[in-house]
Amino acid sequence: MEIGMIGLGRMGANIVRRLMRYGHSCVVYNRTPDKVAQLEAEGAIGAASLDDLVQKLTPPRIIWVMVPAGEVTEQVIGKLADKLERDDIIIDGGNSYYKDDVRRSQALQKQGIHYVDIGTSGGVWGLDRGYCLMIGGPQEAVEQLDPILKSVAPGKGEIETTPGREQLKGTAEEGYLHCGPVGAGHFVKMVHNGVEYALMQAYAEGFDIFRSANSEELPADHQYTLNVADIAEVWRRGSVVGSWLLDLTAIALAEDPALSGYSGHVQDSGEGRWTLMAAIESAVPADVLSAALYTRFRSRQEHTFAEKVLSAMRYQFGGHVEK
Amino acid sequence: MEIGMIGLGRMGANIVRRLMRYGHSCVVYNRTPDKVAQLEAEGAIGAASLDDLVQKLTPPRIIWVMVPAGEVTEQVIGKLADKLERDDIIIDGGNSYYKDDVRRSQALQKQGIHYVDIGTSGGVWGLDRGYCLMIGGPQEAVEQLDPILKSVAPGKGEIETTPGREQLKGTAEEGYLHCGPVGAGHFVKMVHNGVEYALMQAYAEGFDIFRSANSEELPADHQYTLNVADIAEVWRRGSVVGSWLLDLTAIALAEDPALSGYSGHVQDSGEGRWTLMAAIESAVPADVLSAALYTRFRSRQEHTFAEKVLSAMRYQFGGHVEK
Amino acid sequence: MEIGMIGLGRMGANIVRRLMRYGHSCVVYNRTPDKVAQLEAEGAIGAASLDDLVQKLTPPRIIWVMVPAGEVTEQVIGKLADKLERDDIIIDGGNSYYKDDVRRSQALQKQGIHYVDIGTSGGVWGLDRGYCLMIGGPQEAVEQLDPILKSVAPGKGEIETTPGREQLKGTAEEGYLHCGPVGAGHFVKMVHNGVEYALMQAYAEGFDIFRSANSEELPADHQYTLNVADIAEVWRRGSVVGSWLLDLTAIALAEDPALSGYSGHVQDSGEGRWTLMAAIESAVPADVLSAALYTRFRSRQEHTFAEKVLSAMRYQFGGHVEK
Amino acid sequence: MEIGMIGLGRMGANIVRRLMRYGHSCVVYNRTPDKVAQLEAEGAIGAASLDDLVQKLTPPRIIWVMVPAGEVTEQVIGKLADKLERDDIIIDGGNSYYKDDVRRSQALQKQGIHYVDIGTSGGVWGLDRGYCLMIGGPQEAVEQLDPILKSVAPGKGEIETTPGREQLKGTAEEGYLHCGPVGAGHFVKMVHNGVEYALMQAYAEGFDIFRSANSEELPADHQYTLNVADIAEVWRRGSVVGSWLLDLTAIALAEDPALSGYSGHVQDSGEGRWTLMAAIESAVPADVLSAALYTRFRSRQEHTFAEKVLSAMRYQFGGHVEK
């Protein structure tokens, strides 16, 4: 099929590459032209502007927007709306807030333009492994995109079939899923990231306990100096806690068990935050998802004001001066 | 090699079966004789009593104790200590507290009996997949056990090699690991279970948000009725959150997306609790591990006294009567 | 001064009573007329409709709206806007979301109507103790309201002066505070309630530990049967944890230490939720505020879907069937 | 009455002073003699050694030990045990672990020496306000101490009587309480401190949200620059969140709203940790108590190893390099 891609960052460029591997024709545009040139060299059709990209695509067009969520996405889609025609499809493949999807889709619907939101997971490994796709939007538009989605997704691969799957239809086993109406794709991807933070935090706390197991605060015969790289490795085989995140942890710890090259400043993106807001709005207790996010907030500060308030109270009632 | 097994519950019996598959000779004992008879039928040598088991083994003996942690393990090892000789090895393969290992080992050491603690993970799948083994104890004794450990463990299998592993020696890649001196095996297994609880909780909260996404508390155009079975399935392919626990979740949800056959009462074993105690003793923040455990505590009560205290305060200051 | 009050629920009616005690003239309106009649009997001027209330007030008018936050407040203020004139002041004294204040104020500003948001705390005790007032809005309007605010607030009372207060100006010591521009009053009140939830939860967990201290899970010589009413009482004198919430807890426990008349279903209002959203938006770790809210969410369900997911995983990997 | 005091730190010395105010005769000992001299100057009888102290007291003796919990207390009580006689009473007034009380009491009981554990709260303010006393031990011994306890405790003071208290007997209203058998006093004090940490954390998070309310991450019309000193002050009057800890916060913020003199390193003592262990042992969800303790653990580190693990995973799957 023919598809336009706007935004050639790591994710956008690799999705184009993967699409070309499967024989799709890609018209590509990026704010900085060097990335366009690079993909032209690999077989894509370059576009010099949004207008150029629109003109080079045959209607009804399919345009995948893969730019930073928030204002940039808002602007690009706003500009596209003026250039597109009835029955064209805009895919927002970034990490947009699902409420923005709903709002934008309602506006575009008036022009007969279809809006499809796709959450993608796969990171730097996606080019070869394929990307897990979580999709929201109108049934017809999503069906039309099927050949593209199938190519970007990982497919069944060598992963064992889930018992009981035979009776269930659908594409989930292929690694892509139409989750529901507009916004549903980003909603599912949002929670995916919330869960991801908490999974990461679970391992992180466990390895922190291991690193601290030789603390001198502990009685001598309860102190252990543990090899965290080996522990991560042994857990990869036969244990209940095996996962892809554990595989990655094993790689990092095999390089340097002290992880001394990593600062410990941990960023968070909107999805982790929005996941909590969604939990709060529907009154779901989300204890570990919250704790995982707050750890990241805390990691980026030298001291919180909260901690100073604690110090101040301790001084006031007990005369304690913290060092 | 020759090995004695005391305790033929699900784990003990399957470890015997796996050992026999690899050609080891197993003398087996259980409090109830029917399980002994069953394994005799499969090729093991049955023992009618602890004494009988000890006599049927050639010194220096290797005896794997696989009975419930706590008092039962304490008693069995106590009785064994009277019957064994210098250089015999007792393996505690249950879920013992590492501080009990240290204490018991110090007593046995005086008699020249070696004590090895092994934490095992693998559940009902271990017979075929092999068991991940986390081992503590004196170097020599653990080395002596190597052929047995290698057979029980999963081996490298088809799991991809961790980059950088080549330079690192050891058995971690085979699925078994000598973690350190006595207690270290159960210490690592303990934290393993603490991490396991939190990983489970992370997925559980995510799916709870999905199930609640069609809550009528939400604005109509932000309500989603999601197919949780399909979401679990699609995440198994190419996504960052893929794991064995997710595979199991996908199986359960494929059977019944409402999970109506499950009560939601969730037990916890000692390890989750001891993990927190270890974290507290070495001053490691363990937010998600704690939250995961507390959810289980809460799940087994209709209402906590804490909640009644909240209701009572609300009534006192606001006149609120909760329904 | 002359003031109109719309909404004669517990809070609205008692504020009117308090204002009348201090000699203010109150024109009152309520959706159901019996409450109007009651306050007329106590000296207020009744109004039969919003129009009637507006007509009975001399411009520039001051109208305090004390109706349920959300749609009701939105509608009442919407209707008022059509009836009022330049320089009139609308006070939203309910528990509105501060972002709604900002939006509403911006609309009213075009008509020259001033909007002041006031968060009030004091519950059923406020009539006699006075209400703590947290105020947002334009400086001039708030200054104009000063005689009213001073009457509704508790005043200095017998509470000890904070050392260092002498140099600081302002009304905080009188129990009312102009916190900042529009929305700031409700913002401060919102966080107030978030903090309140966590304070309550702190005591609640402590008393839960006391009630569980005679659990048979514990060793016999570490079991305690504690008198929670006496503990609450003794903490009221000389201890670091003394507070008004503790006073209330002591009252409830003195009546019935088992609190058997309280269900343990605990409601939450918007403020606790919005507090977390504000924390998330400004990247502040809010661990205890979150945990306190989630406990309330959990208290209203028999079992969460999350707990069923945990049960299901446990069954899949370990064959555990929870009772 | 006559009483011996061992340990003249801030708490011990002030309790002696308070006892002397009420006419009790105090024999005092301290490891460093200058503190003894100081209290002699104020009217106490100095002792040059433990032996001297024991000799200067008339049997049956009452000796209050007020030294650091843990090894120091263990040693002092061990030495005393050799010097005392049947029917003497040892009071451990420090912050001992209740399980140590139980163990020590069982040993002393064989000699007929009574052991009473007293948890005290009151900080630097206790000399004038009196100390809240939580007491464990045998009924007879505690009754014997009544005149002393009454003097150290705050008494009813001007604090309002709890409705319903009239029917309940006992000393709780006087600010001291015999909580139960040995250990019960320190158990109640332990949880008291656990609750105290969480109350402090609740306020701390609230004020952190206020300080961050002018964050540039927020939309311009939702940014507030708030006066935290004034907010603490206004909450002291009429609000639901009033407390002694809030009074102290108001003092600190009145001095410097930025709290720039406080480092934000926050210590924790054993009690907060033991409270969690008690909660875990009796399966009580203790979410806010835990979060409060973990915040303190975190406050004393530049970065946790956990955070580095998170950074490392992010790098591995997404190529993210944290600054």
Side-chain angles (χ1 to χ4, degrees), chain A residues 240 268 273-274 276-287 290-291 293-295 297-298 300-301 304 306 317, chain C residues 240 268 273-274 276-287 290-291 293-295 297-298 300-301 304 306 317:
Chain A
V240 171
D268 72 283
R273 301 182 179 200
W274 301 327
L276 294 197
M277 293 185 182
I280 292 167
E281 283 177 338
S282 53
V284 172
D287 290 278
S290 300
L293 182 67
Y294 295 153
T295 296
F297 288 170
R298 177 63 188 82
R300 305 195 298 259
Q301 301 181 61
T304 61
F317 70 70
Chain C
V240 172
D268 72 284
R273 302 183 179 200
W274 302 327
L276 294 197
M277 292 185 182
I280 292 167
E281 283 178 338
S282 53
V284 172
D287 290 278
S290 299
L293 182 66
Y294 296 153
T295 296
F297 288 171
R298 177 62 187 84
R300 303 195 299 259
Q301 301 181 59
T304 61
F317 72 69

Side-chain angles (χ1 to χ4, degrees), chain B residues 240 268 273-274 276-287 290-291 293-295 297-298 300-301 304 306 317, chain D residues 240 268 273-274 276-287 290-291 293-295 297-298 300-301 304 306 317:
Chain B
V240 171
D268 72 283
R273 301 182 180 200
W274 302 327
L276 294 197
M277 293 187 182
I280 292 167
E281 283 178 339
S282 53
V284 172
D287 291 277
S290 299
L293 182 66
Y294 296 152
T295 296
F297 289 170
R298 176 62 187 85
R300 303 195 299 259
Q301 301 180 61
T304 62
F317 70 71
Chain D
V240 171
D268 72 284
R273 301 183 180 200
W274 302 327
L276 294 196
M277 292 186 182
I280 293 167
E281 282 177 339
S282 53
V284 173
D287 290 278
S290 299
L293 182 66
Y294 296 153
T295 296
F297 288 170
R298 176 62 187 83
R300 305 195 298 259
Q301 301 181 61
T304 62
F317 71 70

